[in-house]
Amino acid sequence: MTSVQEGNDSRFRYVFICGLHRSGTSLLGRNVARLENCTGLKGTGVIEDEGQFLQDVYPIAKIYGGAGKFGFDPRAHLTETSPLLTPENALKLRQSWERYWDQSKAIRVEKTPANLLKTRFLQAMFPNSYFIVIRRHPVPVSMANQRWKVSFAPLHNLFDHWLHCYALFEEDRKHLKHVYELSYEDYVRNPDKYHDAIAAFIGTRVPQGAREDVTGAYNQKYFNRWSQLLNSSLFTRYFQYIAVKYEPKFMKYGYSLTKGLGVKEERLHEAEEISATAGALYCLLADAYALILRLTTRSKAHIKRQLRARLPGPLKMIIKHVLGKTVLNKKQPDVVSS
């Protein structure tokens, strides 16, 4: 294995939090950074204090399509064979993060979702690398990414991305010296158990009352939405088709798209009768619909940018004031009802 670790200080351990976007990496990363003798990146001024935004050794995930897409670009998958792996880059990367870690702590934590496809590269870059990989049910992950940043990616593409990224990691895992895996669902069910296990894994302890509270409530709203799509959506046949198609693939990871999610049994039997040809057509229609939504959204954004650039300042202030009052009036019933 190619390595540049000889020039690094072996007194430190580097813990990398890995997992797809919307999988709980931020919450997990903050809690790991609260363990004894651990420090996370703080006060960086970048999104979620992610290390990817503080360096220029490798491109950020957005360059490869961002959340729900980056893994499809082969360039996002870095290993010890990467030409980026040089002593100069190793020093540069470490220095990019060093200023944001507490220098009195020996265990340095860095969280970036796309680390999932860079484990072998990071292991070669840093001594004593430890990888904590979290997985979350593909329905919440895919639906959250579908709505987050208004990507409008069809669900079957997001399911494919989930499977593709974790399949790549499965191969990379064979080359890793220190790796710990857990599911988001298990973590939120029993966080104390996993904090103890992770602390033992990286060689530290859990201090008293130091963790951030976790909850499994966020998953349920996506499961409710998924059940609705399968049972009563205008596009029920499409959702039924992908549920049946992807079920055995996700079952390998312990996840089901149909069991325990309130899906009517007769709907699943109907889905099993959908031909591959009809299913492919449904997916093409979903792709087309997503494209139309993206183009429409981009057109609206372009119009807004043009208006901001051309409207006089006083008129902008009037519009902003009116819109602000409208938003306030819309929110008022929610305050009363609560």
Side-chain angles (χ1 to χ4, degrees):
M1 176 190 294
T2 304
S3 174
V4 294
Q5 296 180 3
E6 291 74 11
N8 288 323
D9 193 332
S10 59
R11 292 175 302 169
F12 303 115
R13 293 174 193 166
Y14 298 89
V15 179
F16 295 98
I17 309 296
C18 318
L20 291 179
H21 296 84
R22 319 303 280 176
S23 292
T25 55
S26 295
L27 172 64
L28 179 61
R30 289 192 295 268
N31 277 332
V32 172
R34 288 184 172 95
L35 298 178
E36 192 172 288
N37 202 26
C38 291
T39 174
L41 298 171
K42 288 185 179 179
T44 63
V46 300
I47 300 170
E48 294 291 345
D49 287 322
E50 290 181 5
Q52 65 168 329
F53 299 117
L54 302 172
Q55 54 78 46
D56 58 5
V57 170
Y58 54 82
I60 62 175
K62 187 176 180 180
I63 298 298
Y64 304 129
K69 295 180 180 179
F70 73 92
F72 289 136
D73 193 318
R75 296 173 298 171
H77 183 211
L78 298 181
T79 71
E80 65 278 354
T81 65
S82 170
L84 298 176
L85 188 63
T86 65
E88 294 76 20
N89 276 345
L91 177 62
K92 190 176 180 182
L93 187 59
R94 191 168 73 252
Q95 289 176 339
S96 296
W97 296 336
E98 200 74 35
R99 72 189 74 173
Y100 300 105
W101 281 320
D102 182 342
Q103 298 302 302
S104 68
K105 307 294 179 62
I107 304 175
R108 279 83 191 277
V109 181
E110 193 277 317
K111 167 255 158 178
T112 295
N115 284 345
L116 184 66
L117 302 188
K118 295 182 177 66
T119 53
R120 290 162 63 182
F121 174 78
L122 292 169
Q123 178 174 258
M125 278 281 198
F126 291 89
N128 301 326
S129 296
Y130 291 75
F131 299 94
I132 302 174
V133 179
I134 187 168
R135 285 193 304 271
R136 186 182 181 186
H137 195 292
V139 165
V141 168
S142 299
M143 285 188 166
N145 279 316
Q146 189 179 47
R147 301 176 70 85
W148 191 44
K149 303 297 184 184
V150 215
S151 70
F152 299 115
L155 276 179
H156 66 277
N157 284 350
L158 292 163
F159 285 172
D160 280 332
H161 186 258
W162 194 106
L163 290 164
H164 177 71
C165 289
Y166 283 108
L168 286 175
F169 170 72
E170 289 293 315
E171 290 300 313
D172 289 346
R173 183 177 57 180
K174 301 171 185 176
H175 302 265
L176 303 178
K177 296 177 182 177
H178 307 291
V179 60
Y180 182 89
E181 298 179 70
L182 73 162
S183 75
Y184 172 86
E185 292 75 22
D186 286 341
Y187 178 54
V188 299
R189 241 187 324 263
N190 193 348
D192 290 338
K193 170 186 174 181
Y194 287 96
H195 290 150
D196 287 338
I198 289 170
F201 168 65
I202 61 178
T204 187
R205 297 185 302 175
V206 180
Q208 197 69 25
R211 68 174 173 81
E212 183 176 333
D213 288 339
V214 303
T215 174
Y218 299 113
N219 263 4
Q220 193 56 49
K221 67 176 182 178
Y222 294 113
F223 292 145
N224 293 342
R225 174 63 177 154
W226 176 240
S227 177
Q228 179 189 358
L229 291 173
L230 287 171
N231 289 317
S232 56
S233 165
L234 291 173
F235 307 101
T236 292
R237 298 287 280 175
Y238 162 69
F239 294 113
Q240 290 172 352
Y241 172 74
I242 63 173
V244 171
K245 176 184 177 181
Y246 288 94
E247 176 78 356
K249 298 178 182 181
F250 286 123
M251 283 297 289
K252 295 178 182 178
Y253 294 91
Y255 291 120
S256 173
L257 299 179
T258 60
K259 295 179 176 60
L261 299 176
V263 183
K264 296 176 183 177
E265 199 66 31
E266 60 268 25
R267 292 294 192 186
L268 296 179
H269 292 316
E270 291 173 8
E272 291 170 354
E273 300 301 319
I274 299 174
S275 69
T277 302
L281 178 60
Y282 295 148
C283 289
L284 284 174
L285 291 173
D287 288 334
Y289 179 66
L291 177 60
I292 292 170
L293 286 177
R294 285 197 298 272
L295 291 175
T296 302
T297 302
R298 288 172 185 171
S299 296
K300 289 179 180 177
H302 176 71
I303 292 170
K304 287 181 181 178
R305 284 195 299 269
Q306 292 298 314
L307 287 173
R308 288 195 189 102
R310 297 171 187 273
L311 287 177
L315 183 55
K316 288 183 194 176
M317 293 301 295
I318 293 172
I319 293 172
K320 186 176 181 180
H321 178 69
V322 172
L323 290 176
K325 290 179 67 176
T326 303
V327 170
L328 184 61
N329 289 334
K330 285 182 178 179
K331 287 183 176 180
Q332 197 64 34
D334 295 333
V335 176
V336 173
S337 63
S338 64

Coordinates of all heavy atoms in Angstrom, one line a residue, residues 270-315:
E270 N -50.1 -6.4 -6.5 CA -50.2 -5.7 -7.8 C -48.9 -5.4 -8.4 O -48.6 -5.5 -9.6 CB -51.0 -4.5 -7.6 CG -52.5 -4.7 -7.2 CD -53.2 -3.4 -6.9 OE1 -52.6 -2.3 -7.0 OE2 -54.4 -3.5 -6.4
A271 N -48.0 -4.9 -7.5 CA -46.7 -4.5 -7.9 C -45.8 -5.6 -8.5 O -45.1 -5.4 -9.5 CB -45.9 -3.9 -6.8
E272 N -46.0 -6.8 -8.0 CA -45.3 -8.0 -8.5 C -45.7 -8.3 -9.9 O -45.0 -9.0 -10.6 CB -45.5 -9.2 -7.5 CG -44.8 -9.0 -6.2 CD -45.2 -10.0 -5.2 OE1 -46.2 -10.8 -5.5 OE2 -44.7 -10.0 -4.1
E273 N -46.9 -7.9 -10.3 CA -47.4 -8.2 -11.6 C -46.9 -7.2 -12.7 O -47.1 -7.3 -13.9 CB -48.9 -8.2 -11.6 CG -49.5 -9.2 -10.7 CD -49.1 -10.6 -11.0 OE1 -49.0 -11.0 -12.3 OE2 -48.8 -11.4 -10.1
I274 N -46.3 -6.1 -12.2 CA -45.8 -5.1 -13.2 C -44.6 -5.6 -13.9 O -43.6 -6.1 -13.4 CB -45.4 -3.8 -12.4 CG1 -46.6 -3.2 -11.7 CG2 -44.8 -2.7 -13.4 CD1 -46.2 -2.0 -10.8
S275 N -44.7 -5.5 -15.3 CA -43.6 -6.1 -16.1 C -42.4 -5.2 -16.0 O -42.5 -4.0 -15.7 CB -44.1 -6.2 -17.5 OG -44.3 -4.9 -18.1
A276 N -41.3 -5.8 -16.4 CA -40.0 -5.0 -16.4 C -40.1 -3.8 -17.4 O -39.6 -2.7 -17.2 CB -38.8 -5.9 -16.8
T277 N -40.8 -4.1 -18.5 CA -40.9 -3.0 -19.5 C -41.8 -1.9 -19.0 O -41.4 -0.7 -19.2 CB -41.6 -3.6 -20.8 OG1 -40.8 -4.7 -21.3 CG2 -41.8 -2.5 -21.9
A278 N -42.9 -2.2 -18.4 CA -43.7 -1.2 -17.8 C -43.0 -0.4 -16.7 O -43.1 0.8 -16.6 CB -45.0 -1.8 -17.3
G279 N -42.3 -1.2 -15.9 CA -41.5 -0.6 -14.8 C -40.5 0.4 -15.3 O -40.3 1.5 -14.8
A280 N -39.8 0.0 -16.4 CA -38.8 0.9 -17.0 C -39.4 2.2 -17.5 O -38.8 3.2 -17.4 CB -38.0 0.1 -18.1
L281 N -40.6 2.0 -18.1 CA -41.3 3.2 -18.6 C -41.7 4.1 -17.4 O -41.5 5.4 -17.5 CB -42.6 2.8 -19.3 CG -43.5 3.9 -19.8 CD1 -42.7 4.8 -20.8 CD2 -44.7 3.3 -20.5
Y282 N -42.1 3.6 -16.3 CA -42.5 4.4 -15.1 C -41.2 5.2 -14.7 O -41.3 6.3 -14.3 CB -43.0 3.5 -14.0 CG -44.3 2.8 -14.2 CD1 -44.5 1.6 -13.7 CD2 -45.3 3.4 -15.0 CE1 -45.7 0.9 -13.9 CE2 -46.5 2.8 -15.3 CZ -46.7 1.5 -14.7 OH -47.9 0.9 -14.9
C283 N -40.1 4.5 -14.7 CA -38.8 5.2 -14.2 C -38.5 6.3 -15.2 O -38.0 7.4 -14.8 CB -37.7 4.2 -14.1 SG -37.9 3.0 -12.7
L284 N -38.6 6.1 -16.5 CA -38.4 7.1 -17.5 C -39.3 8.3 -17.3 O -38.9 9.5 -17.4 CB -38.5 6.6 -18.9 CG -37.4 5.7 -19.4 CD1 -37.8 5.1 -20.8 CD2 -36.1 6.5 -19.5
L285 N -40.5 8.1 -17.0 CA -41.5 9.1 -16.7 C -41.1 9.9 -15.5 O -41.2 11.1 -15.4 CB -42.9 8.6 -16.6 CG -43.5 8.0 -17.9 CD1 -44.9 7.3 -17.6 CD2 -43.7 9.2 -18.9
A286 N -40.6 9.2 -14.4 CA -40.2 9.8 -13.2 C -39.0 10.7 -13.5 O -38.8 11.8 -12.9 CB -39.9 8.8 -12.1
D287 N -38.1 10.2 -14.3 CA -36.9 11.0 -14.7 C -37.3 12.3 -15.4 O -36.8 13.4 -15.2 CB -36.0 10.2 -15.6 CG -35.2 9.1 -14.9 OD1 -35.0 9.2 -13.7 OD2 -34.9 8.1 -15.5
A288 N -38.3 12.2 -16.3 CA -38.7 13.3 -17.1 C -39.4 14.3 -16.2 O -39.2 15.5 -16.3 CB -39.7 12.8 -18.2
Y289 N -40.2 13.8 -15.3 CA -40.9 14.7 -14.4 C -39.9 15.5 -13.5 O -40.1 16.7 -13.3 CB -41.9 13.9 -13.5 CG -42.6 14.7 -12.5 CD1 -43.6 15.6 -12.9 CD2 -42.4 14.5 -11.1 CE1 -44.3 16.4 -11.9 CE2 -43.1 15.2 -10.2 CZ -44.1 16.2 -10.6 OH -44.8 16.9 -9.7
A290 N -38.9 14.8 -13.0 CA -37.9 15.4 -12.2 C -37.1 16.5 -13.0 O -36.8 17.5 -12.4 CB -36.9 14.3 -11.6
L291 N -36.9 16.2 -14.2 CA -36.2 17.2 -15.1 C -37.0 18.4 -15.3 O -36.5 19.5 -15.2 CB -35.9 16.5 -16.4 CG -35.2 17.4 -17.5 CD1 -33.8 17.9 -17.0 CD2 -35.0 16.7 -18.8
I292 N -38.3 18.2 -15.5 CA -39.2 19.4 -15.7 C -39.2 20.3 -14.4 O -39.1 21.5 -14.4 CB -40.6 18.9 -16.0 CG1 -40.6 18.3 -17.4 CG2 -41.6 20.1 -15.9 CD1 -41.9 17.6 -17.8
L293 N -39.3 19.6 -13.2 CA -39.2 20.3 -12.0 C -38.0 21.1 -11.8 O -38.0 22.3 -11.4 CB -39.4 19.4 -10.8 CG -40.8 18.8 -10.6 CD1 -40.8 17.8 -9.4 CD2 -41.8 19.9 -10.3
R294 N -36.8 20.5 -12.1 CA -35.5 21.2 -12.0 C -35.4 22.4 -12.9 O -35.0 23.4 -12.5 CB -34.4 20.2 -12.3 CG -34.1 19.2 -11.2 CD -32.8 18.5 -11.3 NE -32.6 17.8 -12.5 CZ -33.0 16.5 -12.7 NH1 -33.5 15.8 -11.6 NH2 -32.8 15.8 -13.8
L295 N -35.9 22.2 -14.2 CA -35.8 23.3 -15.1 C -36.7 24.4 -14.7 O -36.4 25.6 -14.8 CB -36.2 22.8 -16.5 CG -35.2 21.8 -17.2 CD1 -35.8 21.3 -18.5 CD2 -33.9 22.5 -17.4
T296 N -37.9 24.1 -14.2 CA -38.8 25.1 -13.7 C -38.3 25.9 -12.6 O -38.3 27.1 -12.5 CB -40.2 24.5 -13.3 OG1 -40.7 23.8 -14.4 CG2 -41.2 25.6 -12.9
T297 N -37.7 25.2 -11.6 CA -37.1 25.8 -10.5 C -35.9 26.7 -10.8 O -35.8 27.8 -10.3 CB -36.6 24.8 -9.4 OG1 -37.7 23.9 -9.1 CG2 -36.1 25.4 -8.2
R298 N -35.1 26.2 -11.8 CA -33.9 27.0 -12.2 C -34.4 28.3 -12.9 O -33.8 29.3 -12.8 CB -33.0 26.2 -13.1 CG -32.3 25.1 -12.3 CD -31.5 24.2 -13.2 NE -30.9 23.1 -12.4 CZ -30.3 22.0 -12.9 NH1 -30.3 21.9 -14.2 NH2 -29.8 21.1 -12.1
S299 N -35.5 28.2 -13.7 CA -36.0 29.3 -14.4 C -36.5 30.4 -13.5 O -36.2 31.6 -13.6 CB -37.1 28.9 -15.4 OG -36.7 28.0 -16.3
K300 N -37.2 29.9 -12.4 CA -37.7 30.9 -11.4 C -36.5 31.5 -10.7 O -36.5 32.7 -10.4 CB -38.5 30.1 -10.4 CG -39.9 29.7 -10.9 CD -40.7 28.9 -9.8 CE -42.0 28.5 -10.4 NZ -42.8 27.7 -9.4
A301 N -35.5 30.7 -10.4 CA -34.3 31.3 -9.7 C -33.6 32.3 -10.6 O -33.1 33.3 -10.1 CB -33.3 30.2 -9.3
H302 N -33.5 32.0 -11.9 CA -32.9 32.9 -12.8 C -33.7 34.2 -12.9 O -33.1 35.3 -12.9 CB -32.8 32.3 -14.2 CG -32.3 33.2 -15.3 ND1 -31.0 33.6 -15.3 CD2 -32.9 33.9 -16.3 CE1 -30.8 34.4 -16.3 NE2 -31.9 34.6 -17.0
I303 N -35.0 34.2 -12.9 CA -35.8 35.4 -13.0 C -35.6 36.2 -11.7 O -35.5 37.4 -11.7 CB -37.3 35.0 -13.1 CG1 -37.6 34.4 -14.5 CG2 -38.2 36.2 -12.9 CD1 -38.9 33.8 -14.7
K304 N -35.6 35.5 -10.5 CA -35.3 36.2 -9.3 C -34.0 37.0 -9.3 O -33.9 38.1 -8.8 CB -35.4 35.2 -8.1 CG -36.8 34.8 -7.8 CD -36.8 33.8 -6.6 CE -38.2 33.3 -6.3 NZ -38.2 32.3 -5.2
R305 N -33.0 36.3 -9.8 CA -31.6 36.9 -9.9 C -31.7 38.1 -10.7 O -31.1 39.2 -10.4 CB -30.6 35.9 -10.3 CG -30.2 34.9 -9.3 CD -28.9 34.1 -9.7 NE -29.1 33.4 -11.0 CZ -29.5 32.1 -11.1 NH1 -29.8 31.5 -9.9 NH2 -29.6 31.6 -12.2
Q306 N -32.4 38.0 -11.9 CA -32.4 39.2 -12.8 C -33.2 40.4 -12.1 O -32.8 41.5 -12.3 CB -33.2 38.8 -14.1 CG -32.4 37.8 -14.9 CD -31.0 38.4 -15.4 OE1 -31.0 39.5 -15.9 NE2 -30.0 37.6 -15.3
L307 N -34.3 40.0 -11.4 CA -35.0 41.1 -10.8 C -34.2 41.8 -9.7 O -34.2 43.0 -9.5 CB -36.3 40.5 -10.2 CG -37.4 40.1 -11.1 CD1 -38.6 39.4 -10.4 CD2 -37.9 41.4 -11.9
R308 N -33.5 41.0 -8.9 CA -32.6 41.5 -7.8 C -31.6 42.5 -8.4 O -31.2 43.5 -7.8 CB -31.9 40.4 -7.0 CG -32.9 39.6 -6.1 CD -32.1 38.8 -5.1 NE -32.9 37.9 -4.4 CZ -33.0 36.6 -4.6 NH1 -32.3 36.1 -5.6 NH2 -33.8 35.8 -3.9
A309 N -31.1 42.1 -9.6 CA -30.0 42.9 -10.2 C -30.5 44.2 -10.8 O -29.8 45.2 -10.9 CB -29.3 42.0 -11.3
R310 N -31.8 44.2 -11.3 CA -32.3 45.3 -12.1 C -33.2 46.3 -11.3 O -33.3 47.4 -11.7 CB -33.0 44.8 -13.3 CG -32.1 44.0 -14.3 CD -32.9 43.3 -15.4 NE -32.1 42.5 -16.2 CZ -31.4 42.9 -17.2 NH1 -31.4 44.1 -17.6 NH2 -30.6 42.0 -17.9
L311 N -33.9 45.7 -10.3 CA -34.8 46.6 -9.6 C -34.1 47.7 -8.7 O -33.1 47.4 -8.1 CB -35.7 45.8 -8.6 CG -36.8 44.9 -9.3 CD1 -37.5 44.1 -8.2 CD2 -37.8 45.8 -10.1
P312 N -34.7 48.9 -8.7 CA -34.1 49.9 -7.8 C -34.1 49.5 -6.3 O -35.0 48.8 -5.9 CB -35.0 51.1 -8.0 CG -35.7 50.8 -9.3 CD -35.8 49.4 -9.4
G313 N -33.1 50.0 -5.6 CA -33.0 49.6 -4.1 C -34.3 49.9 -3.3 O -34.8 49.0 -2.6
P314 N -34.9 51.1 -3.5 CA -36.1 51.4 -2.7 C -37.3 50.4 -3.0 O -38.0 50.1 -2.1 CB -36.5 52.8 -3.1 CG -35.2 53.4 -3.5 CD -34.4 52.3 -4.2
L315 N -37.4 50.1 -4.3 CA -38.5 49.1 -4.6 C -38.2 47.8 -4.0 O -39.2 47.1 -3.6 CB -38.6 49.1 -6.2 CG -39.7 48.2 -6.7 CD1 -41.1 48.6 -6.2 CD2 -39.7 48.2 -8.3

